[in-house]
Amino acid sequence: MPTLLLVRHGRSTANTAGVLAGWTPDVHLDETGRAQAAELAGRLDGIPLVQAVSSPLERCAETLAPLLAGRPELGPAAVDERLGECHYGDWTGRPLAELAAEPLWRTVQDHATAAVFPGGESLRELSHRTVDAVREWNEKIAAEHGPDAVWVACSHGDVIKAVVADALGLHLDHFQRISVEPCSVTAIRYTPQRPFVLRVGDTGNLASLAPRTPAPGTGGEGDAVVGGDTGVR
């Protein structure tokens, strides 16, 4: 199965202002975010990508724009609403400092499976839709491009943490233990047996994620080789 590179969008104006953007329209990258997006294209240079997928929100499209401009063969990114931000309902647009005083805040942090945003969705629903989306894209890309294909998806912090928790076999109640910074890359290699989480929230060089051919006898598809080698360099 393919390798997924999950990119969190670059720093946005909502991040800078300390508000919970959710699905608020017209939230764009700030100056730092635009610089991060420009650097992302270079960080992914040398990694053969077969597909780009994006959340429908502007800040994700803007994050992928420099990468797609340099790789016209990828064409426009496919947009998948299931990779969109959590529907925070009545919390949308409110300052994070204010939300931290709400009783639900502690539930979100400590007992995510019980968290339902007023007028929005639950974190369980977020997890189900995003993991389903990733699994379906993996099947499609493997069928079209083979099991060693690499694809990139740009999404949001809670989405990425939910997908990582699933890949690690981690209970959703613990997903807040995962940290993904703006414009970081999280890499997950899917196999028929299990996923391998290769990077989480990486903001540095990504050259070692380019696929390579495993040496003979170093393990079959889905095996973790002695020494921790997953067959991806």
Side-chain angles (χ1 to χ4, degrees):
M1 296 289 285
T3 297
L4 165 61
L5 306 185
L6 270 169
V7 178
R8 184 183 175 190
H9 62 77
R11 197 176 79 174
S12 72
T13 53
N15 296 142
T16 308
V19 300
L20 190 64
W23 283 71
T24 303
D26 297 323
V27 173
H28 300 279
L29 299 184
D30 66 8
E31 183 177 353
T32 295
R34 291 191 295 273
Q36 291 170 333
E39 292 170 359
L40 175 68
R43 291 167 60 207
L44 294 175
D45 188 39
I47 299 176
L49 300 173
V50 301
Q51 178 73 59
V53 183
S54 180
S55 154
L57 297 171
E58 293 96 334
R59 52 197 184 273
C60 289
E62 291 170 2
T63 299
L64 287 180
L67 172 67
L68 296 177
R71 301 204 193 189
E73 71 278 5
L74 286 176
V79 175
D80 192 329
E81 290 205 358
R82 295 173 298 174
L83 295 179
E85 180 62 284
C86 184
H87 291 279
Y88 294 115
D90 297 343
W91 278 28
T92 302
R94 293 177 59 187
L96 293 171
E98 178 183 294
L99 292 171
E102 295 276 358
L104 180 59
W105 183 269
R106 287 265 43 99
T107 305
V108 171
Q109 301 303 313
D110 302 330
H111 190 190
T113 52
V116 181
F117 295 99
E121 69 180 330
S122 69
L123 286 173
R124 295 189 312 277
E125 290 169 324
L126 169 75
S127 176
H128 291 158
R129 68 170 164 88
T130 56
V131 170
D132 283 351
V134 165
R135 299 283 183 167
E136 288 178 21
W137 275 106
N138 274 329
E139 294 286 349
K140 180 178 186 295
I141 288 167
E144 295 179 358
H145 300 282
D148 295 323
V150 183
W151 62 290
V152 61
C154 189
S155 190
H156 308 268
D158 282 347
V159 172
I160 294 169
K161 291 190 293 183
V163 173
V164 172
D166 170 74
L168 289 172
L170 187 69
H171 197 285
L172 186 63
D173 282 346
H174 303 310
F175 94 131
Q176 298 288 19
R177 300 181 183 193
I178 300 163
S179 177
V180 289
E181 295 297 314
C183 225
S184 65
V185 174
T186 293
I188 305 173
R189 167 72 171 168
Y190 287 87
T191 77
Q193 286 73 42
R194 67 186 70 82
F196 291 95
V197 178
L198 308 178
R199 305 281 183 92
V200 176
D202 196 318
T203 57
N205 185 281
L206 300 167
S208 66
L209 292 175
R212 66 171 175 80
T213 302
T218 59
E221 182 71 28
D223 291 338
V225 181
V226 174
D229 193 340
T230 61
V232 177
R233 278 289 181 272

